[in-house]
Amino acid sequence: MKKLAIIAAMALAPLFSAQEMVYQPVQSYQTQQYKAKKKAFVENLLSKMTIDEKIGQMNLPTSGDFTTGQAKSSDIGKKVEQGLVGGLFNIKGAEKIRAVQKVAVEQSRLKIPLIFGMDVIHGYETTFPIPLGLASSFDMDLVQQSAQIAARESASDGISWTFSPMVDVSREPRWGRVSEGSGEDPYLGSQVAKAMVYGYQGKDLSDKNTILACFKHFALYGAPEGGRDYNTVDMSHVRMFNEYFAPYKAAVDAGVGSVMASFNEVDGIPATGNKWLMDDVLRKRWGFGGFIVTDYTGINEMTQHGMGDLQTVSALALKAGIDMDMVGEGFLSTLKKSLSEGKVTEAEITEAARRILDAKYDLGLFEDPYRYGDTKWASKEVFSQKNRDAARNIAAQSMVLLKNENHLLPLKKSGTVAVIGPLVNNALNMTGTWSVAAPHRKSVTLVQGLENNLGKEVKVLSAKGANIDDSAKLENIYAAHGKLTDRDPRSKEVLLKEAVDVARQSDVVILAIGESAEMSGESASRSDIEIPQSQVDLLKEIKKTGKPVVVVLFTGRPLALSNIKDIPDAVLNVWFPGTEAGNAIADVLYGKVNPSAKLPMTFPRSVGQIPVYYNHKNTGRPLSAENTEKCIYERFRSNYMDECVTPLYPFGYGLSYTKFSYSDVDVSDKNPKGNQTVEASVTLTNTGNYDGAEVVQLYIRDLVGSMTRPVKELKGFQKIFLKKGESRKVTFNISPEDLKFYNADLVYDWEPGDFEIMIGTNSEQVNTQVVHWSK
Ligand code: BGC
């Protein structure tokens, strides 16, 4: 009887309980004894390895095609047998991975297990919002939860290493890869970087539920000239350290186990061959102890950069600090020759192999090479209802309300709603860029989401209304990676007419417009970031019906919305929400969730303003505050004759269905000294008609310095939930740590003087108090 009861209880218990939040690097949980054991094991293994086997560990081919399972019989399979492969990436499925691992641990001489990597960027099969959307939540517990779930799902399916998080700061919305990062701010980017690393790696890398993280792309990949992917980057060291490096360093401080080098050059040397970056900054200055992998064929591309032939650039990469060569096999094909010619040393090769073996040891792969990946486990974990519920919540928390005239939103659950737009019935596009493992057809479309959630209360009508772009050629380019947009062959006029007819039968129109999934992401730079004309025309036609219009904006980047912003009554920016897109959008539109997300990246008025970002310098000729606000041109000031200097929507902007009021800022001491902590607080009141959350933001400006300082920098945020009518005191503790910056000698310190302490609802609307901080 008792035995039966226990078995029944076990059956009811979840297979793997939810992981607790982690706020410490994984290494901090490793004991001295563990480290000594690992060292002895890896040393012993290295002592048995030939030079070929060491170089083999440094080789990372792609499986090539992760849908057909070729690895065993291919050339890669032979190399695995010969010990010439350290890991494989983008091979999917527990069984397939197990089969390849079997070759490594049964047929190779030293039986060293492979590490299996994948671009698990914003979820595995259960897909969360694109990373820019995740950052918009300003909720680090949710960001961490998304990474934990991604880790569990991918680990159960055989993956032990993800090429995430991407932490490149970017002020360049023309660059399609802004969708993969956390936007423009080094502080927010650092918080997200930490949360993601903790989420993936947990407390113990050998725990089956955790995987190795890899931050990318080191470094400065987010600052390509003209926003063109892979393009040249050039900036001062002071700017790198103060404005771009923080999230990389935060990931290191969070104990990230691996790093991916970027494609671009830094100081005229490609990052993949840049010793200053990888050795001086990453390893020596920041103390990074893991391994560095190139990006896809990063070594080979150095020949195109003009750095020499494959042998030369492979040696350059090794000497600069690269440990693993992704895809290009420059290491595999040339390092031995370079060794015999004295161009690299055996110690350099051994060191690289050691770092990779260390990671495999930490992952527990030597103890059990099949630890990750188990079809039974995967069938329970992957795409589970529990994970999808979490994805739905996180998606709703990532949607930014940009406009809501006359409180059109939340919509009432009655009458007829018209759902119009090129993607309203398109499941393939809901997860956005980089969702290689997602079962796209199972994503919830907008029409499905509304039907699922409105039941019989609301009649849902739908129409396509327009293609993504009038140009079939461009639309084809936009779907280059296969997320088809179901181009409608009917004429523009016929599509418009059908949509207008549907709108006329409705009480309100939900018009989903913007980008398709692959208009952002890798190799998806745009020189024009407006909504394509086909969809602007659709919006204008629908507006003529006189029906209230809610724009649901799908986008992977900040768009220039000046030409449409006045037309709709409400705009909800949903980014690409992931697997649960339609359900989460319905939750927000109909008020189950009150939006609280904020923009992690400035929305410009026009492409000509780019780069436009909140933490800019003042210049010697700033436009007066009054003229800035009123958009009045002034001669011999830093402004445009034909455009305002302010953006359309600033960093940190986002509305709620309720309203929040801020009191003046109160500081505990206006004349602090030395290492004192000052409390800066406001009273936040929910003065509107709904319960809701507000992201309270703290900015600081250093008014006088040995170098010019930004007009403001984000230094803290808190997401505060208040019931309707409720008030709360919100306090930030400020210490000199928050005042530090890298000076002209790249020394990180603070300087005494006056500081503006600003607290508010976005980077433009703040209340200010000045403190004088002396040493
Ligand atoms: C991207 C990386 C990615 C890698 C492997 C590259 O093209 O730049 O971000 O991790 O491919 O798929």
Side-chain angles (χ1 to χ4, degrees):
M1 219 21 222
K2 208 172 165 197
K3 211 171 169 188
L4 266 182
I6 292 171
I7 291 170
M10 278 169 64
L12 286 176
L15 194 64
F16 292 98
S17 57
Q19 273 161 256
E20 57 180 305
M21 291 295 166
V22 172
Y23 303 103
Q24 301 266 3
V26 64
Q27 295 81 358
S28 67
Y29 299 95
Q30 294 172 351
T31 62
Q32 287 308 325
Q33 197 189 4
Y34 170 86
K35 287 180 191 159
K37 224 172 129 193
K38 168 165 94 178
K39 193 161 183 241
F41 179 90
V42 172
E43 280 310 322
N44 178 41
L45 184 55
L46 280 166
S47 71
K48 293 183 200 151
M49 288 168 79
T50 64
I51 205 70
D52 288 316
E53 284 165 337
K54 287 179 190 171
I55 296 171
Q57 286 303 305
M58 298 155 68
N59 186 29
L60 177 72
T62 166
S63 73
D65 170 358
F66 56 82
T67 54
T68 54
Q70 54 6 69
K72 249 194 334 189
S73 54
S74 69
D75 176 44
I76 293 170
K78 276 202 207 80
K79 284 187 181 140
V80 172
E81 271 178 48
Q82 291 160 359
L84 299 180
V85 174
L88 267 186
F89 75 101
N90 285 356
I91 172 169
K92 183 173 186 277
E95 262 175 30
K96 236 186 273 176
I97 287 177
R98 190 168 268 260
V100 181
Q101 188 71 298
K102 199 163 185 284
V103 178
V105 298
E106 290 184 12
Q107 294 176 40
S108 75
R109 189 180 75 93
L110 290 171
K111 311 190 182 330
I112 301 175
L114 300 172
I115 184 171
F116 290 93
M118 188 184 266
D119 288 283
V120 180
I121 307 294
H122 49 117
Y124 184 64
E125 286 204 10
T126 303
T127 309
F128 301 96
I130 54 166
L132 198 58
L134 283 171
S136 308
S137 72
F138 278 72
D139 186 327
M140 297 308 116
D141 283 347
L142 288 187
V143 170
Q144 188 175 146
Q145 190 194 10
S146 76
Q148 281 179 345
I149 293 173
R152 282 206 307 269
E153 282 199 10
S154 55
S156 75
D157 215 17
I159 298 299
S160 46
W161 180 29
T162 176
F163 304 139
S164 169
M166 185 190 106
V167 300
D168 301 309
V169 166
S170 186
R171 297 161 169 176
E172 213 1 303
R174 288 172 296 183
W175 187 55
R177 301 198 80 170
V178 294
S179 51
E180 295 174 57
S182 300
E184 74 191 37
D185 186 59
Y187 178 83
L188 175 63
S190 300
Q191 303 308 309
V192 173
K194 278 197 246 170
M196 296 288 283
V197 171
Y198 293 150
Y200 289 131
Q201 298 193 156
K203 284 184 174 175
D204 177 2
L205 278 167
S206 74
D207 179 335
K208 283 172 105 167
N209 296 295
T210 62
I211 58 176
L212 189 75
C214 176
F215 86 68
K216 66 190 188 187
H217 307 81
F218 195 59
L220 312 178
Y221 187 33
E225 286 178 0
R228 214 174 72 217
D229 207 359
Y230 320 123
N231 204 7
T232 305
V233 174
D234 194 8
M235 70 171 74
S236 69
H237 283 202
V238 159
R239 176 166 261 189
M240 291 179 199
F241 275 88
N242 282 314
E243 299 167 36
Y244 282 81
F245 275 179
Y248 304 129
K249 179 171 184 301
V252 172
D253 292 344
V256 73
S258 65
V259 171
M260 187 185 293
S262 58
F263 287 127
N264 55 282
E265 66 176 66
V266 172
D267 290 335
I269 300 173
T272 312
N274 196 314
K275 191 166 167 39
W276 175 76
L277 264 184
M278 291 185 282
D279 207 39
D280 294 357
V281 177
L282 183 60
R283 291 198 193 281
K284 299 212 173 89
R285 193 169 181 137
W286 297 343
F288 172 67
F291 72 92
I292 309 178
V293 62
T294 69
D295 201 346
Y296 205 104
T297 61
I299 291 178
N300 314 57
E301 289 172 27
M302 285 201 283
T303 63
Q304 295 283 346
H305 275 286
M307 301 296 292
D309 62 14
L310 188 60
Q311 184 186 352
T312 308
V313 295
S314 300
L316 180 70
L318 178 72
K319 289 189 132 6
I322 293 287
D323 303 303
M324 202 176 217
D325 175 4
M326 187 191 285
V327 176
E329 303 207 333
F331 279 175
L332 197 70
S333 60
T334 70
L335 276 191
K336 210 169 158 190
K337 182 159 183 262
S338 290
L339 179 64
S340 69
E341 293 169 1
K343 291 178 178 152
V344 301
T345 64
E346 178 157 3
E348 286 161 342
I349 294 171
T350 306
E351 190 52 33
R354 181 200 322 272
R355 291 184 185 128
I356 293 157
L357 296 173
D358 276 351
K360 291 183 177 180
Y361 187 94
D362 285 339
L363 285 165
L365 287 169
F366 288 109
E367 202 181 76
D368 176 9
Y370 304 109
R371 168 174 243 117
Y372 305 91
D374 167 354
T375 41
K376 233 172 151 185
W377 169 25
S379 70
K380 298 235 164 67
E381 184 63 65
V382 175
F383 215 65
S384 68
Q385 191 54 50
K386 196 168 134 211
N387 294 351
R388 294 183 58 166
D389 289 346
R392 177 173 178 165
N393 173 43
I394 294 173
Q397 299 298 331
S398 75
M399 294 174 186
V400 188
L401 183 63
L402 297 177
K403 177 177 179 183
N404 193 17
E405 296 282 293
N406 307 318
H407 303 288
L408 176 60
L409 295 177
L411 296 174
K412 285 169 202 62
K413 278 195 176 179
S414 62
T416 302
V417 60
V419 193
I420 299 170
L423 298 178
V424 296
N425 271 310
N426 188 304
L428 294 185
N429 278 259
M430 293 300 98
T431 56
T433 186
W434 274 122
S435 38
V436 292
H440 296 294
R441 294 193 187 280
K442 293 190 196 159
S443 292
V444 182
T445 67
L446 183 50
V447 169
Q448 284 166 350
L450 294 170
E451 284 173 352
N452 291 346
N453 293 283
L454 302 175
K456 295 190 177 82
E457 293 160 286
V458 179
K459 188 168 171 201
V460 180
L461 304 175
S462 69
K464 181 145 178 158
N467 282 307
I468 283 288
D469 200 288
D470 283 332
S471 154
K473 185 178 159 209
L474 266 182
E475 190 165 328
N476 197 28
I477 290 174
Y478 293 155
H481 301 294
K483 285 183 191 148
L484 300 178
T485 42
D486 298 331
R487 189 169 181 81
D488 199 309
R490 290 176 293 170
S491 74
K492 178 169 176 153
E493 292 68 32
V494 170
L495 288 172
L496 281 176
K497 186 175 175 310
E498 183 185 65
V500 167
D501 287 347
V502 164
R504 285 214 179 101
Q505 297 167 52
S506 71
D507 300 302
V508 59
V509 180
I510 298 173
L511 190 69
I513 53 176
E515 294 191 320
S516 56
E518 288 166 358
M519 285 171 79
S520 57
E522 185 172 353
S523 191
S525 296
R526 295 180 66 197
S527 68
D528 167 5
I529 54 168
E530 291 183 358
I531 293 176
Q533 195 59 42
S534 60
Q535 302 179 59
V536 175
D537 293 343
L538 172 64
L539 172 61
K540 288 182 178 162
E541 285 306 309
I542 296 297
K543 181 70 184 175
K544 284 186 201 156
T545 64
K547 305 288 177 173
V549 179
V550 182
V551 161
V552 166
L553 187 66
F554 284 103
T555 182
R557 53 152 62 81
L559 295 173
L561 298 173
S562 296
N563 59 338
I564 67 120
K565 73 167 191 340
D566 294 330
I567 306 174
D569 301 277
V571 180
L572 180 70
N573 174 20
V574 302
W575 307 110
F576 286 96
T579 299
E580 289 290 319
N583 287 333
I585 297 171
D587 288 345
V588 175
L589 291 179
Y590 284 86
K592 192 168 158 198
V593 175
N594 185 353
S596 59
K598 302 277 187 170
L599 294 178
M601 201 171 171
T602 303
F603 272 47
R605 290 176 193 271
S606 59
V607 169
Q609 282 189 319
I610 298 170
V612 53
Y613 48 94
Y614 85 93
N615 48 352
H616 58 83
K617 300 292 184 73
N618 201 38
T619 81
R621 294 187 175 193
L623 190 64
S624 68
E626 199 188 328
N627 285 348
T628 300
E629 202 188 316
K630 292 189 179 149
C631 188
I632 295 174
Y633 169 73
E634 229 184 301
R635 209 160 175 76
F636 303 122
R637 295 275 125 191
S638 180
N639 61 160
Y640 298 104
M641 292 188 286
D642 59 347
E643 184 63 282
C644 314
V645 288
T646 56
L648 188 60
Y649 299 116
F651 174 85
Y653 174 85
L655 304 173
S656 165
Y657 295 153
T658 193
K659 270 202 155 342
F660 293 98
S661 78
Y662 282 72
S663 71
D664 288 343
V665 177
D666 191 31
V667 289
S668 59
D669 189 346
K670 285 193 181 162
N671 291 291
K673 246 184 150 32
N675 272 344
Q676 201 182 319
T677 296
V678 171
E679 287 182 0
S681 54
V682 289
T683 301
L684 180 73
T685 307
N686 181 344
T687 57
N689 291 323
Y690 299 87
D691 300 345
E694 163 76 338
V695 178
V696 180
Q697 301 161 41
L698 167 75
Y699 297 89
I700 298 183
R701 177 176 184 180
D702 185 350
L703 283 163
V704 177
S706 61
M707 285 175 38
T708 62
R709 307 285 297 118
V711 296
K712 52 175 74 93
E713 293 173 290
L714 185 71
K715 292 292 175 181
F717 55 82
Q718 293 180 42
K719 198 164 186 171
I720 306 290
F721 179 83
L722 292 182
K723 289 207 166 299
K724 169 178 150 182
E726 200 185 344
S727 284
R728 190 170 319 153
K729 186 173 167 189
V730 181
T731 303
F732 293 93
N733 292 325
I734 303 170
S735 79
E737 216 29 59
D738 303 307
L739 312 178
K740 286 184 176 172
F741 65 97
Y742 291 89
N743 67 19
D745 299 321
L746 298 182
V747 172
Y748 190 58
D749 204 357
W750 64 286
E751 296 172 357
D754 289 340
F755 297 87
E756 282 180 353
I757 310 295
M758 296 164 265
I759 301 181
T761 183
N762 63 56
S763 61
E764 277 181 8
Q765 283 173 279
V766 291
N767 294 339
T768 306
Q769 217 16 294
V770 177
V771 300
H772 181 84
W773 213 306
S774 49
K775 278 252 171 177

